[in-house]
């Protein structure tokens, strides 16, 4: 029930509660006793810490096999070459968000894209793909127009490019999230905690989030908590993360 809800575009239908999934509805019944799977076998423990704490009250722990897993090949670009499974790669709030008002086969009308962020995401994805193979890397975004832009930049690399909505159930060794938004005000679908839960739980070894911290922090309690989590652990970087070359 913490992951994707039905996509409802009609305001009246939302008012009537049709945006609440059957599973979530049943879980919220007074007599319900929903059971949570409390051991995860996918993510490095450093990737599990925030989703478990924020979305599941700390109840989801990592299996011993996952806990002993290598930290992967993403590295903090500052100073020592330290493997870091989770990084937030910042951008200036003024950089790049644009509105697409034209509906195409690849993107919806009034979708958003950020060319500068797409270029940065594609650059990192290519470095990762060169080390682990394109099939083990995914670049995901909340916006179809950004997905279209990324697909063009990563054509022929084997890297998976898709939306958060279509990523539920998928998993990759390395995931790059493109948040797109850089303007102050509402952050739209980025404020949906169900989508954020899905986005943060797709990677096995490494997750890099690209975005402008201030609009995200101001637009959502969940993003504010995530950025605080990253800040406390010194995981917010201004330069492109390094990709370890040696095995």
């Amino acid at each position: 029930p913490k992951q994707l809800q039905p996509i409802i575009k009609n305001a009246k239908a939302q008012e009537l509660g049709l945006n609440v999934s059957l599973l979530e509805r049943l879980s919220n019944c007074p007599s319900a006793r929903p059971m949570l799977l409390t051991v995860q076998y996918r993510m490095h423990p450093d990737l599990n810490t925030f989703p478990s704490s924020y979305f599941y009250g700390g109840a989801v722990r990592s299996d011993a096999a996952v806990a002993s897993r290598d930290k992967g090949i993403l590295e903090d670009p500052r100073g020592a070459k330290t493997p870091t499974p989770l990084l937030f790669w910042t951008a200036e709030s003024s950089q790049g968000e644009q509105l697409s008002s034209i509906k195409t086969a690849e993107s919806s009308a009034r979708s958003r894209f950020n060319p500068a962020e797409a270029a940065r995401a594609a650059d990192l994805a290519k470095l990762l793909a060169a080390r682990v193979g394109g099939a083990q890397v995914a670049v995901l975004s909340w916006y179809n127009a950004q997905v279209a832009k990324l697909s063009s930049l990563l054509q022929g690399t084997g890297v998976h490019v898709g939306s958060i909505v279509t990523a539920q159930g998928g998993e990759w060794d390395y995931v790059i999230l493109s948040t797109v938004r850089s303007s102050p005000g509402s952050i739209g679908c980025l404020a949906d905690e169900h989508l954020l839960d899905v986005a943060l739980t797709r990677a096995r070894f490494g997750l890099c989030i690209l975005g402008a911290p201030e609009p995200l922090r101001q637009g959502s309690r969940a993003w504010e908590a995530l950025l605080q989590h990253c800040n406390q652990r010194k995981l917010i970087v201004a330069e492109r993360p390094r990709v370890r070359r040696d095995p």
Side-chain angles (χ1 to χ4, degrees):
K2 297 289 186 180
Q3 298 203 352
L4 292 189
Q5 294 179 306
I7 298 171
I8 305 294
K9 296 183 178 180
N10 182 281
K12 187 63 177 177
Q14 288 195 28
E15 254 180 62
L16 294 170
L18 294 181
N19 60 328
V20 180
S21 70
L22 179 60
L23 178 60
E24 190 170 356
R25 199 181 301 276
L26 291 172
S27 298
N28 291 333
C29 287
S31 59
R33 294 184 178 84
M35 294 183 65
L36 176 70
L37 299 177
T38 58
V39 181
Q40 69 88 16
Y41 300 88
R42 173 183 297 158
M43 301 176 285
H44 186 280
D46 289 359
L47 298 176
N48 180 54
T49 302
F50 178 80
S52 175
S53 173
Y54 187 85
F55 298 111
Y56 303 103
V60 179
R61 59 184 177 83
S62 299
D63 182 72
V66 178
S68 62
R69 184 180 286 173
D70 186 273
K71 284 194 172 186
I73 60 173
L74 262 185
E75 294 182 343
D76 190 321
R78 303 162 297 189
K81 295 181 179 180
T82 307
T84 312
L86 173 63
L87 287 168
F88 190 105
W89 184 9
T90 66
E92 294 295 329
S93 296
S94 59
Q95 286 183 355
E97 177 189 343
Q98 298 179 35
L99 181 64
S100 170
S101 300
I102 301 171
K103 187 172 184 178
T104 68
E106 292 81 24
S107 73
S108 309
R110 297 194 62 78
S111 185
R112 294 177 187 270
F113 64 103
N114 187 322
E117 186 173 284
R120 292 192 299 137
D123 186 34
L124 179 57
K126 288 173 183 176
L127 288 175
L128 288 166
R131 285 284 288 108
V132 300
Q136 303 305 322
V137 181
V139 186
L140 306 175
S141 181
W142 283 254
Y143 294 97
N144 287 337
Q146 186 75 341
V147 170
K149 179 69 70 175
L150 287 161
S151 296
S152 174
L153 292 171
L154 290 166
Q155 189 172 9
T157 63
V159 171
H160 174 86
V161 179
S163 68
I164 307 300
V165 170
T166 60
Q168 179 158 294
E171 56 183 79
W172 297 269
D173 284 355
Y174 295 91
V175 172
I176 299 165
L177 300 179
S178 175
T179 62
V180 174
R181 303 300 284 259
S182 60
S183 304
S186 168
I187 58 171
C189 60
L190 279 158
D192 185 329
E193 293 189 3
H194 295 76
L195 286 172
L196 182 57
D197 186 13
V198 171
L200 295 177
T201 54
R202 300 304 97 201
R204 300 186 191 102
F205 293 97
L207 172 66
C208 182
I209 306 165
L210 278 68
E214 280 313 305
L216 296 172
R217 184 181 287 113
Q218 293 169 11
S220 159
R221 186 172 64 90
W223 278 103
E224 182 180 21
L226 175 60
L227 284 160
Q228 183 179 26
H229 170 88
C230 291
N231 189 50
Q232 288 172 343
R233 291 160 178 77
K234 299 181 179 178
L235 303 176
I236 299 178
V237 299
E239 302 170 47
R240 186 187 69 198
R242 280 195 296 248
V243 174
R244 191 177 70 203
R245 294 181 180 179
D246 300 326

